[in-house]
């Protein structure tokens, strides 16, 4: 069964009364669970609407879609695209798009190439530090999935070079370290355009995780909205109420400027045994416009931007 965008028929009052989780990862990228296991786990945590949003791939969606059909979960086609805003790396979640569209396939192919090049450069740097076999090791852990820094982190742990993945990032892979190689990711506006051209909704992922000042963050949100972005993750993963209010304040400023954005949410679940990021354990605050309202009314085709940027 091919995962297709969901509309009003799938998003009934009953369906929406369950837990909704629009951001999580399977083993198709850096998650641990297979798409089937991920859907089962979501179901057991009361999730009725789920978007699997692997980094720069839709490889897990077919399997996830079959598992979701079997389990009575509504699967929203999803992806988390890596993008560039100025010198910053930002993440854009694409939701409810046609996963076979040339626009999304092209966006994925571009990033596939960049990730392969990056993996080779990270491996070279690690080998210079005396960690031989990094590329083969990380590749093996990524399996058929998209390779990323977390696979290098896991390999460093498995090879006994470091105690845990947090330390692997801190010493070798995180910002300013040897494995932090610069990548010329596609620009934010082009990323939003790719999602829009695939008929989907672009959502800015975890806005507080970019280390931006409030002024810079407002500027990022403005650029995102002007480019045709339609939603922001008001709640993502581990987040306290003060942070949620901070995001709501940023959205209020944008709405005053005539650029209202809808609210999305997700656990950003990657693996079990991270109780603060369990599937479905996130809730939207009252008074926001949920992103799925756009899909119920069919209003998810962007209106205030250039859809034909491609
Ligand atoms: Mn990840
Ligand atoms: Mn992310
Ligand atoms: Mn994520």
């Amino acid at each position: 069964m091919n995962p297709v965008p969901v509309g009003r028929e799938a998003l009934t009052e009953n369906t929406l009364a369950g837990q909704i989780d629009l951001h999580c990862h399977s083993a198709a990228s850096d998650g641990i669970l297979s798409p089937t296991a991920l859907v089962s786990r979501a179901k057991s945590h009361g999730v009725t609407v789920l978007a699997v949003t692997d980094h720069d791939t839709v490889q897990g969606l077919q399997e996830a879609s079959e598992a979701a059909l079997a389990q009575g979960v509504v699967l929203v086609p999803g992806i988390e695209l890596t993008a560039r805003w100025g010198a910053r790396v930002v993440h854009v979640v694409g939701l409810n798009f046609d996963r076979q569209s040339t626009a999304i396939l092209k966006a994925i192919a571009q990033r596939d190439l960049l990730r392969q090049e990056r993996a080779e450069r990270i491996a070279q740097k690690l080998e210079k530090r005396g960690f031989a076999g990094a590329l083969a090791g990380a590749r093996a852990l990524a399996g058929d999935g998209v390779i990323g820094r977390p696979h290098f982190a896991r390999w460093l742990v498995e090879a006994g070079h470091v105690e845990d993945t947090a330390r692997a990032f801190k010493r070798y892979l995180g910002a300013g370290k040897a494995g932090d190689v610069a990548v010329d990711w596609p620009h934010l506006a082009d990323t939003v355009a790719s999602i829009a051209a695939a008929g989907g909704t672009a959502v800015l992922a975890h806005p507080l995780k970019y280390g931006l000042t409030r002024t810079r963050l407002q500027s990022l949100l403005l650029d995102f909205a002007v480019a045709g972005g339609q939603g922001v993750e008001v709640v993502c993963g581990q987040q306290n109420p003060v942070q949620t209010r901070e995001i709501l304040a940023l959205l209020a400023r944008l709405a005053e400027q005539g650029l209202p954005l809808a609210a999305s949410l997700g656990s950003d679940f990657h693996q079990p045994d991270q109780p603060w990021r369990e599937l479905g354990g996130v809730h939207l605050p009252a008074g926001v416009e949920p992103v799925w309202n756009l899909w119920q009314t069919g209003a998810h085709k962007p209106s205030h931007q250039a859809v034909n940027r491609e």
Side-chain angles (χ1 to χ4, degrees), residues 35-45 67 71:
T36 302
L38 185 67
V39 170
S40 299
R41 190 177 178 96
K43 169 85 179 176
S44 73
H45 282 91
Q71 307 227 22

Side-chain angles (χ1 to χ4, degrees), residues 26-28 33-40 52 54 59-61 63-65 67:
S26 79
L33 301 180
S34 69
T36 302
L38 185 67
V39 170
S40 299
V52 174
D54 278 306
Q59 232 176 149
L61 292 189
E63 185 187 318
S65 167

Side-chain angles (χ1 to χ4, degrees), residues 25 30 55 270:
H25 299 269
D30 58 349
H55 297 285
H270 281 71

